[in-house]
Amino acid sequence: MFGLASRHLGPATFAVRSEDLVIDRVAGLPARIEHREFLGEATLVHLRHEASQSTLVARVDRDHWARFGDRDVVHVRPSPGAGFLFDADGRRLAASPITARREVAHG
């Protein structure tokens, strides 16, 4: 779904930093805004992915939150090039093509 690839066979976990999550109305995983924490220059948006009952936290610019209200259903996706894959034992897997593209683009 996020354009990730790995030679690893078996369970894996995809992790992304809160500042690398993008919230919008169309593309990504559907999630409901549970609440927001205003930090001054930024806002932490706490979301619930209903299908998995997972909690996600996105860090967005302080003005970005005004476009959405509590309990709104939005879509969440990682920024291009963001994210890490870990195997079932918590070891980071080799860089995926999406990470490699990021390193080349910013390298």
Side-chain angles (χ1 to χ4, degrees):
M1 173 175 196
F2 296 119
L4 298 172
S6 174
R7 293 188 182 128
H8 172 77
L9 298 176
T13 299
F14 177 74
V16 63
R17 292 185 176 104
S18 61
E19 62 269 18
D20 289 330
L21 284 177
V22 176
I23 300 174
D24 71 25
R25 297 243 184 239
V26 182
L29 293 172
R32 180 175 306 282
I33 296 174
E34 295 287 309
H35 68 277
R36 295 168 286 174
E37 292 182 58
F38 304 104
L39 305 176
E41 80 290 347
T43 300
L44 295 179
V45 181
H46 296 256
L47 307 122
R48 170 72 67 183
H49 178 245
E50 300 291 340
S52 68
Q53 291 299 302
S54 296
T55 298
L56 305 167
V57 179
R59 183 182 179 106
V60 298
D61 292 334
R62 72 173 175 217
D63 297 326
H64 184 77
W65 71 266
R67 299 184 347 200
F68 309 105
D70 285 344
R71 308 303 298 159
D72 279 1
V73 174
V74 295
H75 290 82
V76 182
R77 67 181 187 285
S79 297
F84 305 92
L85 285 175
F86 297 92
D87 68 13
D89 294 323
R91 290 184 300 256
R92 184 172 174 193
L93 298 173
S96 66
I98 196 165
T99 303
R101 285 195 301 270
R102 180 181 188 195
E103 290 167 359
V104 169
H106 294 91

